[in-house]
């Protein structure tokens, strides 16, 4: 068998004399015999790759392709998650306008979705119903309050009365409830349900921490706990009082708030002066607050 015939038979395997063929033979057959054959750069002296080298190169290409596909799929998943979050936030923001008429319910979510042209996604995006709208409201209001407090304190290096600052901050935050006050008992009921208690605690602890921080509290001792627990108690007490207040512009509520803040100041001064009392209360308050924060996985962000 001549050399051309051998090459023609071996081209189907892709090798010749142990070398990878760089170009395919192009024979012309006539009556079962090779009539003509055109070969370009076929000789092994012109081929640089062995079969093992070829296989290693192809495996490397496959690995690169697989890695790129994984990265692309992850990027697509992240992009999809971001799009879902954007859609959810737009629906939640729109749904707040329907809370005064529909309460903290799935009906408000449906109305909000319809208003932003997503009428059929509520059940899939909000399986928990109204509590998800309520959690969004708390998160949104806490962030809005933090932005206001940051503007108030930025560039102000003068010493400020922390009690007055805290009173003003609580009033600002409670005024955000006024448009939804008619349905706020429903909100309190939802937040008190066992599955929703961790989120409820997280919202109030985040709120009081932001107030204390922008009030100038940088303490790392007992005062850190007493201020936050005290503010949380004042906020919740004033919130409940506000539901019963029929005075103009909630004037009685703000007076009630002022009295509670003043009482807290007096109590704080007493605890600081009374070493015996502060030791016992520090242990109880510190343990309770730390445990709650650790269970909830809170990581306060003041940026």
């Amino acid at each position: 068998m001549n050399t051309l015939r051998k090459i023609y038979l071996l081209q189907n395997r892709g090798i010749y004399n142990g070398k990878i063929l760089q170009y395919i033979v192009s024979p012309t057959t006539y009556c079962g015999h090779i009539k003509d054959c055109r070969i370009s750069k076929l000789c092994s002296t012109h081929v640089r790759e062995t079969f093992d080298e070829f296989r290693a190169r192809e495996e490397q290409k496959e690995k690169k392709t697989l890695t790129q596909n994984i990265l692309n799929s992850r990027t697509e998943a992240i992009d999809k998650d971001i799009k879902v979050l954007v859609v959810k936030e737009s629906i939640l923001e729109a749904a707040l306008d329907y809370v005064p008429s529909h309460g903290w319910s799935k009906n408000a979510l449906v109305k909000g979705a319809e208003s932003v042209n997503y009428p059929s996604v509520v059940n899939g995006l909000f399986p928990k119903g109204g509590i998800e709208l309520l959690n969004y409201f708390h998160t949104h209001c806490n962030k809005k309050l933090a932005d206001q407090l940051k503007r108030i304190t930025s560039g102000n290096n003068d010493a400020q009365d922390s009690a007055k600052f805290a009173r003003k901050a609580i009033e600002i935050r409670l005024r955000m409830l006024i448009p939804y006050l008619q349905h706020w008992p429903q909100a309190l009921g939802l937040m008190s349900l066992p599955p929703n208690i961790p989120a409820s605690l997280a919202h109030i602890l985040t709120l009081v921490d932001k107030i204390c921080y922008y009030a100038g509290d940088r303490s790392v001792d007992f005062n850190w706990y007493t201020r936050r627990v005290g503010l949380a108690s004042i906020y919740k007490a004033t919130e409940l009082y506000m539901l019963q207040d029929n005075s103009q512009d909630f004037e009685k509520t703000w007076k009630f708030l002022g009295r509670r803040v003043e009482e807290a100041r007096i109590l704080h001064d007493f605890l600081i002066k009374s070493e015996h009392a502060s030791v016992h209360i520090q242990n109880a308050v510190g343990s309770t607050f730390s445990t709650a924060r650790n269970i909830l996985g809170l990581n306060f962000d003041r940026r």
Side-chain angles (χ1 to χ4, degrees), residues 98-104 179-188 243:
Y98 296 93
V99 171
S101 56
H102 293 84
W104 303 95
Y180 314 98
L181 210 56
Q182 179 183 355
H183 296 284
W184 200 245
Q186 178 194 10
L188 295 177
L243 295 176

Side-chain angles (χ1 to χ4, degrees), residues 229-269:
V229 172
L231 275 182
S233 301
I234 292 171
Y235 178 87
K236 297 305 292 185
T238 309
E239 179 184 41
L240 294 174
Y241 187 93
M242 190 178 186
L243 295 176
Q244 311 293 328
D245 187 7
N246 295 320
S247 62
Q248 185 177 4
D249 194 32
F250 300 94
E251 181 180 356
K252 292 182 179 179
T253 296
W254 313 136
K255 289 181 178 180
F256 175 87
L257 172 61
R259 293 194 297 271
R260 300 292 83 77
V261 171
E262 185 60 30
E263 290 170 359
R265 187 210 298 264
I266 295 173
L267 177 61
H268 179 266
D269 292 341

Side-chain angles (χ1 to χ4, degrees), residues 50-77:
T50 66
F51 182 77
D52 290 338
E53 291 172 341
F54 173 78
R55 183 173 61 182
R57 180 169 60 83
E58 290 301 313
E59 288 178 352
Q60 187 65 27
K61 287 173 61 178
E62 289 180 0
K63 288 181 181 179
K64 289 182 179 180
T65 302
L66 180 60
T67 302
Q68 188 61 44
N69 289 339
I70 293 174
L71 291 175
N72 291 339
S73 62
R74 289 180 178 177
T75 302
E76 290 174 1

